[in-house]
Amino acid sequence: MIVNADTLIILDFETTGLSPDMGDRAIEIGAVKIENGEITERFQELMYPGRRVSGFIANYTGITNSMLEDAAPCEEVMHRFADFIQGYNLVAHNASFDKRFLDAELARISREYDGEFSCSLLVARRIFQDAPSHKLGELIKYTNIPSDGGFHRALFDSEMTTKLWLVMLNEIKSRTQLVDIPFNLVQKIAKTPKKSVDRLLLRCAN
């Protein structure tokens, strides 16, 4: 497993609802692979969840039932995605949501993944404590990352999260003087109380 935080896969699901435990399914997966801080590959597919999506979800995501009718079933897409992510750590914005759907969809096809997760939302809360909000769109504005504002499609959100992730890695580098940021350090930052983050980064710098 690659240990650096600039070589991993950043992913995002669009779904029929909030909880796979309540029967919700994935309808789109988007992901960006970065290696040494450079985008090397992308993955994006719609997937048919076996039933119609609500008007709310269609309006929120822009993904309509007619778009999903011709999409491959979830099981087929998730087999391809399971192949795509093997050997890489994973990141998502509000990762607990995406991890629940990833785990649920892969469990349906008896597939697993070997990477670990980190959450860009939790990291941002600690690195950018003065941001007015830690929603992805607000963080993009706060960090002056160019965007056309097309959020709530999986690949676009993955692309924006990738840009935010790289900005955060550079911020951590500047505050620690580390040349490479280990993935487990980012995981540690995500779990550190906000008031203790500066002390953690200072220890890394010494």
Side-chain angles (χ1 to χ4, degrees):
M1 182 62 61
I2 298 164
V3 298
N4 283 349
D6 65 356
T7 298
L8 41 73
I9 289 171
I10 295 176
L11 62 93
D12 181 74
F13 279 102
E14 303 300 337
T15 65
T16 63
L18 296 176
S19 174
D21 294 337
M22 301 296 289
D24 288 311
R25 302 293 304 274
I27 56 174
E28 186 180 35
I29 179 67
V32 175
K33 182 181 290 182
I34 55 172
E35 298 182 274
N36 300 315
E38 299 291 333
I39 294 175
T40 58
E41 202 169 348
R42 294 171 174 84
F43 186 105
Q44 184 275 327
E45 285 199 49
L46 293 170
M47 56 187 111
Y48 180 62
R51 56 187 170 87
R52 294 179 65 80
V53 299
S54 69
F56 172 79
I57 292 298
N59 288 333
Y60 183 75
T61 63
I63 299 170
T64 64
N65 286 294
S66 61
M67 292 167 65
L68 294 173
E69 285 171 1
D70 296 327
C74 292
E75 291 76 10
E76 188 179 315
V77 174
M78 291 309 299
H79 270 299
R80 289 194 282 271
F81 191 62
D83 293 338
F84 181 75
I85 63 176
Q86 294 308 318
Y88 289 86
N89 289 317
L90 307 170
V91 167
H93 203 71
N94 191 19
S96 62
F97 174 87
D98 296 281
K99 186 178 187 301
R100 281 198 304 273
F101 277 93
L102 179 64
D103 291 348
E105 292 293 349
L106 290 183
R108 286 173 173 268
I109 58 172
S110 302
R111 294 289 301 270
E112 296 179 345
Y113 53 94
D114 51 7
E116 295 185 20
F117 254 96
S118 188
C119 178
S120 55
L121 172 62
L122 295 180
V123 176
R125 282 179 177 163
R126 287 149 178 84
I127 297 301
F128 298 129
Q129 295 188 21
D130 294 334
S133 164
H134 293 89
K135 292 180 179 179
L136 181 58
E138 293 301 316
L139 285 165
I140 294 301
K141 291 178 188 173
Y142 179 78
T143 53
N144 297 312
I145 294 170
S147 165
D148 62 8
F151 293 93
H152 306 307
R153 287 300 300 269
L155 184 58
F156 183 85
D157 283 3
S158 296
E159 297 262 11
M160 292 296 101
T161 303
T162 298
K163 291 178 180 179
L164 175 66
W165 185 258
L166 294 174
V167 167
M168 291 195 295
L169 291 187
N170 283 334
E171 179 70 16
I172 295 167
K173 285 180 181 179
S174 71
R175 291 166 66 177
T176 61
Q177 307 305 309
L178 291 172
V179 176
D180 296 308
I181 307 299
F183 186 74
N184 62 3
L185 173 58
V186 181
Q187 289 179 304
K188 191 171 185 179
I189 291 170
K191 297 175 182 176
T192 299
K194 289 182 184 179
K195 66 180 187 297
S196 302
V197 170
D198 286 342
R199 193 179 318 129
L200 170 64
L201 297 179
L202 191 60
R203 283 206 308 270
C204 294
N206 294 328

